[in-house]
């Protein structure tokens, strides 16, 4: 059996001091970009933390950092009604509603693209418009509002011809395929070079039996990974994106879903 090429293998890291110790193709997303970079105040940009991930990510032949930078959570200063906002331990307020003034989003995306320009910092291969947009813990706006934000972001980010812009990612539950179909058919397909979803075949947490099944198992508590891929691919193809890639930008056995090292190795092999 042939070896899986590293270009098909993504790894994630929460801290830049704990990067993957094995070869991989793409670094899945660090902490969410908007609040990580501009969380403390309008026009107050701090790229220092994100730069560490971008600098450490693998580079391709064009010098592009093979990393997925994901937007998500609106900074509290951009939202006047705080119903859907919480304050993190860092003191940064994060919100799931869209910004009151869309110019704040435009300004951030412009600054983001201008920073990762190959001079100030490496160019970035992938940008994901929003994180798990079908879950209220990340987005409580409408699909239409997120399409409007993608419409603004796409041409700005695409000033670098090698950059690829992905749809907002979706989780399997609630219905990720239904949300994605609405997003693409509503016009979102015009502002995406690929579709992103999060492939967690099984839930973890309180009341869930562990270890979780292998990723292709029909008893997965979300859905077997091959079914997820098939269903999302069908949505993509039905909305004029048959030539565009489908990417799992998060996935795995969840929190503590598999603890035995041998089973972890088997799980990851079969997931890929």
């Amino acid at each position: 059996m042939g070896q899986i090429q590293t270009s098909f293998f993504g790894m994630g890291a929460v801290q830049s001091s704990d990067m993957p110790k094995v070869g991989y193709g793409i670094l899945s997303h660090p902490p969410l970009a908007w609040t990580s970079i501009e969380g403390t105040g309008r026009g107050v940009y701090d790229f220092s933390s994100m730069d560490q991930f971008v600098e450490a990510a693998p580079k391709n032949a064009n010098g592009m950092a093979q990393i997925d930078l994901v937007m998500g959570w609106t900074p509290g200063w951009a939202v006047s009604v705080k119903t859907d906002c919480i304050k993190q331990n860092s003191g940064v307020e994060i919100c799931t509603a869209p910004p009151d003034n869309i110019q704040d989003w435009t300004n951030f995306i412009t600054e983001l693209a201008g920073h990762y320009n190959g001079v100030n910092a490496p160019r970035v291969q992938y940008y994901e418009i929003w994180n798990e947009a079908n879950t209220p813990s990340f987005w409580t706006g409408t699909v239409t509002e997120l399409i409007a934000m993608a419409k603004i972001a796409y041409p700005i980010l695409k000033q670098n011809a090698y950059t690829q812009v992905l749809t907002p990612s979706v989780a399997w539950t609630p219905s990720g395929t239904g949300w994605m179909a609405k997003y693409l058919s509503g016009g979102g397909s015009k502002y995406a070079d690929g579709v992103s979803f999060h492939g967690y075949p099984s839930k973890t947490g309180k009341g869930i039996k562990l270890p979780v099944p292998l990723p292709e198992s029909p008893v997965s508590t979300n859905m077997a990974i091959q079914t997820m891929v098939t269903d999302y691919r069908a949505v993509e193809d039905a909305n004029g994106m048959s030539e565009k890639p489908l990417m799992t930008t998060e996935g795995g056995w969840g929190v503590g879903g598999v603890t035995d090292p041998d089973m972890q190795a088997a799980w990851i092999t079969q997931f890929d």
Side-chain angles (χ1 to χ4, degrees), residues 172 197 199 223-236 246 248 271:
W172 185 258
F197 76 97
M223 188 62 65
I225 189 62
Q226 70 268 33
T227 302
M228 289 187 184
V229 170
T230 298
D231 288 1
Y232 283 117
R233 183 77 259 176
V235 169
E236 197 170 9
L246 174 66
T248 308
F271 185 77

Side-chain angles (χ1 to χ4, degrees), residues 89-135:
N89 291 335
S90 64
V92 172
E93 190 174 38
I94 58 174
C95 306
T96 58
D100 295 344
N101 185 350
I102 198 66
Q103 188 63 44
D104 288 327
W105 168 255
T106 304
N107 293 345
F108 169 70
I109 293 295
T110 301
E111 192 74 18
L112 185 70
H115 181 78
Y116 293 112
N117 62 359
V119 177
N120 300 320
R123 291 185 174 94
V124 167
Q125 184 74 58
Y126 300 102
Y127 290 99
E128 191 175 302
I129 291 298
W130 209 261
N131 184 67
E132 295 193 357
N134 66 321
T135 62

Side-chain angles (χ1 to χ4, degrees), residues 255-266:
V255 180
V258 179
T259 57
D260 178 75
D262 290 336
M263 183 56 74
Q264 288 178 342

